[in-house]
């Protein structure tokens, strides 16, 4: 079983401290959800976990199966088994999805035999049009197509732990359901190491959680986790809003 352990994480952007001591644990097969209003620090958390430039860690630790992720550049964190589904996926002109997957799998020491068939199967599973597999990565794709593309990459790479930064942003109900269900299935399917995916899901709204069932929900306000609970916490948010936790 893999474990992402975040302990006492404090981080800043420039001279402004955003995170004020985050403690979270995500294990294989779990869906841990972080919800919060705009400006709470949710995207900062995902950026710090993946090592995005421009963010300073002030205190705390982040480990994956005991390995210190904060000491690694972003590409080594990915090779260690941490994966980010980005809120705003990058466009890469001239490079197809297939090329990206070949390079990523090869860097991980995994076989690329049968990759074309796997890409086609995963595309069909989430309603991603097959002709888009050969287009430059995310170029001229709609918001929903980009998120389907991100979900497809996740399913092919099968990391140990995935961070989903607002997967539901810009999705219509069909795309949301397809992507969320695929992630849910991945938490119940053994990957290349025999482990189920663990997911740290960052979102504003509980509509994502209708298809992606959480084990635990955490409320992030002003860089601090102010409440944690089961799925019923999302219902309380829907009823009372974030003001009840401010």
């Amino acid at each position: 079983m893999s474990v992402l352990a975040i302990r006492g994480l404090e981080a800043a952007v420039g001279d402004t401290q955003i995170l004020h001591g985050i403690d979270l644990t995500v294990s294989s097969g779990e869906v841990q959800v972080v919800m919060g209003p705009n400006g709470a620090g949710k995207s900062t958390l995902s950026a710090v976990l993946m090592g995005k430039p421009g963010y300073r860690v002030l205190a705390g630790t982040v480990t994956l199966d005991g390995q210190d992720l904060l000491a690694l550049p972003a590409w080594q964190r990915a090779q260690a088994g941490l994966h980010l589904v980005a809120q705003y996926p990058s466009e890469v002109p001239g490079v197809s999805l297939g090329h990206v997957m070949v390079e990523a799998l090869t860097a991980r020491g995994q076989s690329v035999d049968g990759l074309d068939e796997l890409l086609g199967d995963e595309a069909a599973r989430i309603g991603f049009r097959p002709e888009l597999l050969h287009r430059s990565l995310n170029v001229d794709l709609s918001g929903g197509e980009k998120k389907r593309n991100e979900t497809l990459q996740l399913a092919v790479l099968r990391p140990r732990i995935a961070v989903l930064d607002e997967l539901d942003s810009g999705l219509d109900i069909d795309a949301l359901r397809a992507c969320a269900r695929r992630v849910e299935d991945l938490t119940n399917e053994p990957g290349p190491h025999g482990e189920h995916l663990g997911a740290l899901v960052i979102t504003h709204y509980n509509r994502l959680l209708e298809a992606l069932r959480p084990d635990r929900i955490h409320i992030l306000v002003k860089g601090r986790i102010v409440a944690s609970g089961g799925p019923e916490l999302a219902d309380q948010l829907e009823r009372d809003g974030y003001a009840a936790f401010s």
Side-chain angles (χ1 to χ4, degrees), residues 2 9-10 20 25 89 91 111 114 119 126 137 163 171-172 212 242:
S2 286
L9 184 62
E10 300 182 15
H20 298 271
T25 302
E91 297 184 2
S111 173
L119 287 170
I126 60 172
L137 187 68
V163 179
L171 291 186
D172 61 36
L212 182 55
Y242 289 112

Side-chain angles (χ1 to χ4, degrees), residues 19 21-24 32-42 45 200-206 209 214 216-246:
L19 301 181
I22 303 298
D23 294 292
L24 284 171
Q32 299 277 340
V33 177
V34 174
M35 304 182 73
N38 288 327
K42 302 186 302 301
L45 176 60
L200 176 59
V201 180
I202 296 170
T203 184
H204 282 291
Y205 308 110
N206 68 0
L209 309 182
R216 196 157 180 79
I217 294 175
H218 311 274
I219 308 302
L220 184 67
V221 176
K222 296 179 180 179
R224 293 182 172 86
I225 293 176
V226 298
S228 297
E232 71 281 351
L233 197 54
D235 296 330
Q236 183 181 350
L237 271 176
E238 186 74 11
R239 183 181 65 249
D240 302 332
Y242 289 112
F245 299 93
S246 299

Side-chain angles (χ1 to χ4, degrees), residues 186-206:
L186 289 170
T187 66
N188 294 295
E189 298 172 0
H193 305 286
E195 302 170 337
H196 299 173
L197 176 73
L200 176 59
V201 180
I202 296 170
T203 184
H204 282 291
Y205 308 110
N206 68 0

Side-chain angles (χ1 to χ4, degrees), residues 63-85:
T63 61
L64 178 56
D65 298 337
Q67 185 175 14
D68 179 10
L69 292 185
L70 297 180
L72 303 177
W75 65 272
Q76 288 185 342
R77 298 184 196 195
Q79 286 191 356
L82 188 66
H83 182 92
L84 174 65
V85 173

